[in-house]
Amino acid sequence: MIESLSVLIPVYNQICVNKVKAIKELCDAQPSLEYEIIVADDCSTHHDTISANTEINELPHCRFVLKNRNEGSGATRNFLARQSKYDWLLFLDCDMDIPDKWFIDRYVKTAQPRTVVNGGIKIGPKPCTCGRNLRYLYEHHEEPAHTAQQRSKNPYKSFRSTNFIIPRSIFMSVMFNESMKRYEDVYFGKILRESNIDTIHIDNPVVMNAFEDNKEYVNKVELDLRTLYKFRDELQGYSRILSLCNTISKVKPLHIAARLWHSVLGPLERNLIIGKYPLLTVLSVYRIGYFLSINK
């Protein structure tokens, strides 16, 4: 049973006042819980969102902190942990919604000493009926793997930083790799395993209702792949596409053919997946070709 809790939310160019209010209401409903909610802005470029989020400072037990330089989500989570004062840390992404009034209660009752608890995510309704959103299609396709039962089969490889609770003492002993701007949560799962820190998965998901447009999402996919290549040694065994591309690279003719395919058809594939009617199969082929084009 948790008696004190720091809710920590990294934010960048997004207003999260209503989310903080919703979480505060759930914390207030816990009769014996001491808590604080800290939102750290990773040097947003949209000044209107910064101005709006300063309202958080007017809420009891809540604080909005503006960082003076952009460092990425992993570094911002480490910053938040250093700002916190309570025994348990609940990390939440700013672009996820709270599902119901029992969200905090489930964590309070489930947390165990020296154990990390991952709550997972679920996908909200389709954002629109006109055209197709690639991020929604991908997340909806992957949703069966988000259940606690499925995540528990590979608890460390399934770790994600979107929604998890951890004892502060444990987090301060591991923390996120700040040199990674992407994949830092995947690597964090590896560190938990190497440190013999128990990690469990429960069905206490936050809800994904925000889906960026196709072009922005593909840009992020490409950034992910470049990061994956840069840290490929550290992430061996923790990425399906890395394992697949390693297998392809071992067969030289296949590797050359795949790279040639991407050099010729990659631009066409990219136009298809950023368009109005993207296909997940094309995204999969594009990701493989893009990674292999980096891995020369």
Side-chain angles (χ1 to χ4, degrees):
M1 178 72 74
I2 293 177
E3 296 179 351
S4 63
L5 176 66
S6 296
V7 183
L8 308 177
I9 306 173
V11 65
Y12 182 74
N13 285 339
Q14 187 162 350
I15 299 172
C16 61
V17 178
N18 289 337
K19 180 170 300 177
V20 171
K21 289 179 178 179
I23 297 169
K24 175 179 167 28
E25 183 177 344
L26 299 186
C27 290
D28 285 336
Q30 296 293 318
S32 58
L33 180 68
E34 289 188 87
Y35 75 91
E36 62 180 352
I37 303 173
I38 310 174
V39 177
D41 185 292
D42 194 22
C43 199
S44 289
T45 56
H46 298 169
H47 297 291
D48 56 335
T49 64
I50 296 174
S51 178
N53 282 331
T54 58
E55 182 185 341
I56 293 169
N57 288 321
E58 300 173 11
L59 303 173
H61 310 293
C62 300
R63 183 156 49 107
F64 175 71
V65 183
L66 179 62
K67 294 172 59 185
N68 57 17
R69 62 177 179 175
N70 180 268
E71 298 177 298
S73 59
T76 302
R77 288 187 176 92
N78 291 345
F79 171 83
L80 281 161
R82 288 189 289 268
Q83 293 281 316
S84 68
K85 64 181 180 181
Y86 288 128
D87 293 337
W88 285 86
L89 309 180
L90 171 57
F91 286 93
L92 298 172
D93 278 5
C94 65
D95 57 351
M96 299 288 174
D97 294 329
I98 305 302
D100 54 50
K101 65 180 182 180
W102 307 112
F103 177 74
I104 295 295
D105 187 68
R106 279 190 287 267
Y107 269 134
V108 168
K109 292 179 178 178
T110 305
Q112 305 170 20
R114 293 198 55 78
T115 300
V116 180
V117 183
N118 219 176
I121 66 171
K122 66 179 180 179
I123 312 306
K126 193 172 182 179
C128 64
T129 56
C130 54
R132 304 180 76 189
N133 181 278
L134 182 61
R135 179 67 184 274
Y136 172 82
L137 290 173
Y138 176 79
E139 297 294 349
H140 182 69
H141 179 265
E142 293 292 313
E143 190 169 20
H146 295 330
T147 66
Q149 182 180 10
Q150 291 299 315
R151 287 182 277 124
S152 296
K153 293 179 180 179
N154 291 289
Y156 298 100
K157 293 182 181 181
S158 298
F159 177 85
R160 293 296 179 269
S161 58
T162 304
N163 167 30
F164 75 102
I165 194 166
I166 183 171
R168 188 179 190 277
S169 58
I170 290 180
F171 184 83
M172 300 305 290
S173 70
V174 286
M175 308 189 81
F176 284 98
N177 184 332
E178 297 189 7
S179 65
M180 290 183 173
K181 305 301 182 184
R182 314 284 288 182
Y183 276 97
E184 70 278 358
D185 54 350
V186 178
Y187 186 67
F188 189 79
K190 179 182 178 182
I191 296 302
L192 291 176
R193 182 175 186 175
E194 292 176 347
S195 303
N196 294 315
I197 296 170
D198 290 338
T199 299
I200 64 173
H201 293 263
I202 65 172
D203 275 321
N204 192 28
V206 288
V207 184
M208 178 181 288
N209 283 315
F211 306 94
E212 62 268 70
D213 65 37
N214 294 350
K215 186 175 182 180
E216 183 180 354
Y217 179 56
V218 172
N219 287 340
K220 288 182 178 180
V221 167
E222 292 170 343
L223 177 58
D224 282 344
L225 294 171
R226 294 194 297 272
T227 303
L228 180 61
Y229 179 75
K230 180 178 179 180
F231 294 99
R232 60 195 181 279
D233 292 336
E234 292 87 343
L235 294 170
Q236 289 292 338
Y238 281 77
S239 164
R240 287 177 296 177
I241 190 169
L242 180 58
S243 298
L244 174 60
C245 288
N246 283 342
T247 300
I248 293 174
S249 296
K250 291 176 182 177
V251 184
K252 192 171 182 179
L254 183 59
H255 186 192
I256 293 172
R259 288 185 55 219
L260 180 61
W261 173 285
H262 185 75
S263 67
V264 175
L265 296 178
L268 175 60
E269 292 169 352
R270 194 179 197 280
N271 285 336
L272 286 172
I273 56 180
I274 67 174
K276 292 183 178 180
Y277 300 99
L279 296 173
L280 290 180
T281 52
V282 178
L283 174 63
S284 297
V285 173
Y286 181 78
R287 292 175 73 220
I288 294 169
Y290 189 94
F291 186 84
L292 290 173
S293 71
I294 303 171
N295 184 16
K296 300 178 181 179

